[in-house]
Amino acid sequence: MGLLAKIDNEFFQEVGEISRFTARFFKEVTKPKQEWEEFINQCYWIGYKTLTLVSITAFIMGLVLTIQSRPTLVEFGAASLLPSMVSVSLVREITPVITSLICAGKIGSGIGAELGSMRVTEQIDAMEVSGTNPFKYLVVTRVLASTVMVPILSILAIGISLYGGYLGANIRGEVSWTLFWFQAFDALSYGDFIPSIIKTVFFGFAIGIVGCFKGYTSEKGTEGVGRSATTAVIVASLLVFVLDLIAVQITDLLGLT
């Protein structure tokens, strides 16, 4: 019981600290004089530097999903539904979630390690002494960049994964370019696309907040930096699943599914 109580205390303490950290973010982001140059720089590092990994993963997702789904549909005589099924699956759920998990691994760990290193080497303390607002410069810019770039990466990944699906449909079958895209988009609606993009905004925000929180509050030297990067990935990935579950329930209540 003592161990369970300790775990519960640590969990709720962590939740409280992240909540205060998030509240401070919203307070700082409303203050004038944003660090736009650093924000654009972080968009480059978070977005462009992650694009290759996201693109390769999205292409393989679309290709594999189509190849794996085709035999089952053929067995039930529904092979013509392959483009529709693949497009709905990729757009609604698979591509946004997998893309966000990739971002949680790469972006979350990168931010956690970077800010953790700055914390243990006292660079953040030096910024405070020099009169610079390190929270606004380091945290606000990274969280905003993550919130903006994850949805953009998700949109690009959806297009690439659908192209992978087209190639997968033509490996053992023959579907024309026009027919595949007509069936794919005919099965989709704004109720499929818009909610999947909106939830990636929250995924990106969660990834940025968790990565910055773990790095900004890092301690215990280089060991703490490694722990910050690792826990940032774990917590951010878990939050992606939790937020996705909440988003699915909301869209179901609104009748968008």
Side-chain angles (χ1 to χ4, degrees):
M1 291 297 293
L3 179 60
L4 291 176
K6 181 179 179 181
I7 294 175
D8 288 340
N9 289 335
E10 291 178 352
F11 172 77
F12 287 112
Q13 181 179 358
E14 183 94 344
V15 171
E17 291 175 353
I18 292 179
S19 299
R20 286 195 297 270
F21 192 83
T22 305
R24 184 180 178 186
F25 164 80
F26 284 111
K27 179 181 178 181
E28 293 289 345
V29 79
T30 56
K31 292 182 178 180
K33 194 180 178 181
Q34 302 295 331
E35 301 287 349
W36 295 116
E37 184 176 348
E38 178 65 12
F39 167 72
I40 294 173
N41 182 52
Q42 289 304 316
C43 285
Y44 170 79
W45 285 105
I46 289 175
Y48 179 74
K49 291 296 184 178
T50 314
L51 179 60
T52 302
L53 179 60
V54 167
S55 300
I56 294 173
T57 306
F59 177 78
I60 294 174
M61 277 193 301
L63 187 66
V64 171
L65 178 64
T66 306
I67 294 173
Q68 294 285 1
S69 301
R70 179 181 171 79
T72 303
L73 292 178
V74 169
E75 182 179 350
F76 289 96
S80 60
L81 297 177
L82 185 61
S84 302
M85 189 217 70
V86 168
S87 64
V88 171
S89 300
L90 290 174
V91 171
R92 275 190 179 183
E93 190 67 23
I94 297 176
T95 304
V97 172
I98 298 300
T99 300
S100 299
L101 289 175
I102 293 171
C103 293
K106 189 176 186 301
I107 299 172
S109 62
I111 293 176
E114 182 183 12
L115 296 190
S117 299
M118 296 182 70
R119 171 61 72 184
V120 299
T121 56
E122 299 182 350
Q123 295 182 51
I124 295 178
D125 297 332
M127 293 177 67
E128 292 175 345
V129 171
S130 63
T132 306
N133 185 346
F135 193 94
K136 197 173 190 67
Y137 184 82
L138 299 175
V139 175
V140 172
T141 54
R142 283 162 174 78
V143 174
L144 288 178
S146 177
T147 304
V148 170
M149 295 311 299
V150 171
I152 294 175
L153 290 171
S154 181
I155 293 172
L156 295 174
I158 287 173
I160 295 170
S161 63
L162 288 175
Y163 179 71
Y166 165 74
L167 295 181
N170 282 277
I171 289 180
R172 292 190 178 180
E174 186 175 347
V175 182
S176 69
W177 174 269
T178 304
L179 179 61
F180 178 87
W181 291 105
F182 174 79
Q183 291 183 336
F185 284 106
D186 185 59
L188 295 170
S189 65
Y190 288 111
D192 297 316
F193 187 76
I194 294 178
S196 70
I197 300 304
I198 290 177
K199 67 183 180 182
T200 58
V201 174
F202 293 95
F203 293 164
F205 177 78
I207 292 168
I209 278 289
V210 170
C212 289
F213 170 76
K214 291 296 182 180
Y216 201 80
T217 59
S218 180
E219 54 186 17
K220 297 182 180 179
T222 55
E223 179 185 352
V225 175
R227 186 181 297 109
S228 297
T230 303
T231 54
V233 175
I234 295 171
V235 176
S237 300
L238 180 61
L239 278 178
V240 167
F241 286 117
V242 172
L243 291 173
D244 184 53
L245 175 62
I246 295 173
V248 169
Q249 297 299 319
I250 293 175
T251 53
D252 182 58
L253 289 174
L254 295 176
L256 299 176
T257 56

